Amino acid sequence: MEAVVSLNSGSSSIKFALFTLGPDGPQHAAVGKLEGIGTAPHLVARDANEVILVDRGWDNGAALTHEALLHDLFAWAGDHLPDHDIVAAGHRVVHGGTEFFRPLCVDDALLAALDALCPLAPLHQPHNLAAIRAIRTLAPELPQVACFDTGFHHELPEVSTRFGLPRALHDKGIRRYGFHGLSYEYIARALREADPVLASGRVIAAHLGNGASLCAMRDGLSMDTAMGFTALDGLLMGTRCGTIDPGAVLHLQTQEGMTAPAVEALLYKQSGLLGVSGISSDMRALHMSDDPHAAEAIELFAWRAAREASALILSLGGIDGIVFTAGIGENDSVIRSAICERLAWLGIAIDAQANTRNAPVISMADSEIIVRVIPTDEERMIAIHTLAALVPAGDAS
Ligand code: ADP
C-alpha cells in the first residue's frame, strides 16, 4: 500500500504522520512525535484509532541527532508497517520568502535558496531543512516536497504586506509574510465542509498553540494576519514576545548592552507566557498555578489576542465568524471565553456548556457571530500538497 510521510521538524521535536493513499484522499495510518531531541529523545506513535504503535526512549540518547533519530523512525516504520510503501516525504518549511509559495519538489537549487532564508526564521527553518537533508541521506531516491507556511498568505493585499520602511527595503524582502499557513489552509478547507456559508464569509481563524497567530480570511483566502516578517510578531506566545515596540529592541542593545544573539534568545525563548509569568510557557501549567503572575500572563494572552482580532476585523470590513484551533484554541475553554468576552461588543454570545465540551460550535444560536472549534491537521495538508506536487505537470486532470 502506497503511503506518504509528513514531517514537521523543530529544534527538539519532529512531528510526523503517515498517510495511506485512498480514493477519498490521504488516510491516517500513524501519527506521532519524536520529542526531547538533544536531551532524552522519546518516540510515540498511534494508529488512526489512537492505539499506541510505539512508545520508546533511547539509552544515552542525548547525543543522537535528528538524522540518527529519523533513521530509527524509518527503520521502525519498515519493521512495523511493512505493507506501507513510503513513496514521498512532505515537509513543513516555515519560510518561502517572496519566491516560493506553491509546494515544490526539493532539489539542490531549492535547498540552497531555502538555506538563504534561514535568517528570517532562525529557530525553525534550519531544522526544517535539516530533516530534508537527513532523509536525502537515508533515502536518496525518495521524492521530497517542501510545503511553505508562508504560502497561504502569498496573495495578501499589498497594504498588509508593507512596513513603514523605505521602499528599497520592502523590495529586498523586509516585509510582512505571515505564517501558520498550512494550518489556516486546512482550517479553510475544513470550514468549507462544516459550514460552507460561513466559509464564504469573513472569518478570523485563531491558531493558538506554543506559537500563536490569527488569520483574517474572506471566502477562504488570507486577507491579513497577525504575524509579519518573522514568527515573533503578533500575539503573545509560549516563549515569544509577539508585537513589541521596535524602540524597545534598540534600547536593549544600546542601553542594556545586550548583543544581537542575546536579544534574539530573549525575544524567541525567554519571553511570552514564560517571561511574563516567570513560571512556564505551557498554558495548562499556568492555569494550575495560583501565582498572580500566572494570572497576569493569561490575562495578557487573552487581551492581546482580542486586540489583534479587533485590528484584523478592520481588514475584513466586519466579521461573520471566529474559528479556534491548535493546542490552546482546541482545548482551553477558559481562554476562548476570555477572548470572546473582550469581543462581546461584536454581539458574540458564547454557550458556556458547548464551550466547556470543546463542541464544534460554541456560540449561542442567537449570537451575531458564529464561533467554532476545528482541530487543525497541518500534517494532512502537507500530505495533500505532497501528492499534488508529485503529479507531473499536465497529468493533474
Ligand atoms: P505547538 O505550537 O508546539 O504545536 P500546540 O498546538 O501543541 O503547540 O499547543 C501547545 C499549547 O496548548 C500549550 O500551551 C498547552 O498548554 C496547550 N494545551 C494543549 N492541550 C491542552 C488542553 N487539553 N487544555 C489546555 N491547554 C492545552
Side-chain angles (χ1 to χ4, degrees):
M1 193 178 344
E2 292 195 333
V4 167
V5 63
S6 297
L7 291 146
N8 180 355
S9 179
S11 60
S12 65
S13 74
I14 300 173
K15 290 185 193 169
F16 60 90
L18 192 70
F19 294 90
T20 55
L21 313 182
D24 301 330
Q27 303 295 320
H28 262 143
V31 57
K33 198 169 182 181
L34 257 163
E35 285 181 295
I37 302 173
T39 49
H42 194 98
L43 166 66
V44 179
R46 295 179 168 79
D47 70 10
N49 299 315
E50 295 280 315
V51 175
I52 292 193
L53 297 169
V54 58
D55 183 349
R56 66 161 289 198
W58 280 258
D59 291 336
N60 305 317
L64 291 175
T65 60
H66 285 60
E67 183 176 333
L69 291 164
L70 279 170
H71 175 274
D72 287 3
L73 179 63
F74 272 58
W76 168 79
D79 289 346
H80 291 85
L81 303 166
D83 51 342
H84 291 67
D85 177 22
I86 298 179
V87 296
H91 297 260
R92 177 183 182 202
V93 174
V94 164
H95 222 302
T98 46
E99 205 180 333
F100 308 113
F101 44 96
R102 286 195 197 88
L104 290 172
C105 290
V106 176
D107 58 18
D108 290 340
L110 180 64
L111 262 184
L114 296 178
D115 270 336
L117 296 171
C118 284
L120 302 192
L123 267 63
H124 296 96
Q125 189 97 337
H127 305 294
N128 305 154
L129 302 184
I132 296 177
R133 289 202 162 89
I135 292 178
R136 286 187 124 199
T137 308
L138 295 173
E141 303 302 324
L142 188 70
Q144 300 199 69
V145 175
C147 305
F148 302 104
D149 237 358
T150 44
F152 185 64
H153 306 290
H154 174 65
E155 298 198 47
L156 278 178
E158 174 75 12
V159 70
S160 19
T161 68
R162 277 193 185 272
F163 293 124
L165 288 172
R167 305 194 75 80
L169 292 174
H170 178 90
D171 297 344
K172 259 180 109 176
I174 303 183
R175 42 157 284 177
R176 304 188 71 246
Y177 293 92
F179 298 89
H180 288 136
L182 293 161
S183 177
Y184 292 129
E185 192 176 0
Y186 178 81
I187 294 297
R189 289 171 75 117
L191 185 61
R192 201 164 288 288
E193 278 190 17
D195 188 343
V197 174
L198 180 57
S200 63
R202 300 160 299 179
V203 173
I204 303 271
H207 179 110
L208 308 179
N210 281 318
S213 71
L214 305 176
C215 180
M217 300 194 283
R218 187 188 295 134
D219 198 13
L221 299 177
S222 176
M223 294 289 129
D224 199 358
T225 186
M227 273 181 182
F229 179 58
T230 68
L232 264 186
D233 199 12
L235 309 193
L236 190 80
M237 297 175 236
T239 60
R240 290 175 243 159
C241 58
T243 299
I244 183 171
D245 179 346
V249 180
L250 293 174
H251 182 92
L252 291 171
Q253 293 179 285
T254 59
Q255 304 303 310
E256 296 290 322
M258 291 179 75
T259 61
V263 173
E264 180 178 284
L266 175 79
L267 302 183
Y268 275 99
K269 294 184 175 168
Q270 298 154 15
S271 298
L273 294 172
L274 174 66
V276 175
S277 69
I279 297 168
S280 174
S281 63
D282 192 293
M283 190 60 92
R284 281 169 295 194
L286 297 184
H287 284 307
M288 285 190 294
S289 167
D290 52 13
D291 187 318
H293 293 164
E296 207 169 2
I298 292 172
E299 185 188 10
L300 185 58
F301 182 90
W303 177 75
R304 289 278 295 274
R307 188 172 186 265
E308 286 280 348
S310 302
L312 293 191
I313 291 167
L314 174 120
S315 295
L316 293 174
I319 182 168
D320 303 303
I322 298 175
V323 178
F324 286 101
T325 194
I328 296 170
E330 292 166 25
N331 298 296
D332 193 331
S333 58
V334 174
I335 292 293
R336 287 192 302 253
S337 94
I339 294 171
C340 290
E341 266 169 35
R342 286 173 171 77
L343 296 171
W345 56 274
L346 292 166
I348 295 182
I350 293 295
D351 176 338
Q353 283 187 353
N355 189 30
T356 308
R357 282 187 284 114
N358 302 323
V361 177
I362 61 167
S363 47
M364 306 284 277
D366 61 355
S367 175
E368 287 179 41
I369 310 291
I370 300 170
V371 185
R372 286 183 161 269
V373 177
I374 300 182
T376 195
D377 193 346
E378 290 155 295
E379 283 74 24
R380 180 179 297 276
M381 208 59 244
I382 292 169
I384 292 169
H385 282 315
T386 300
L387 289 170
L390 290 178
V391 177
D395 285 8
S397 59

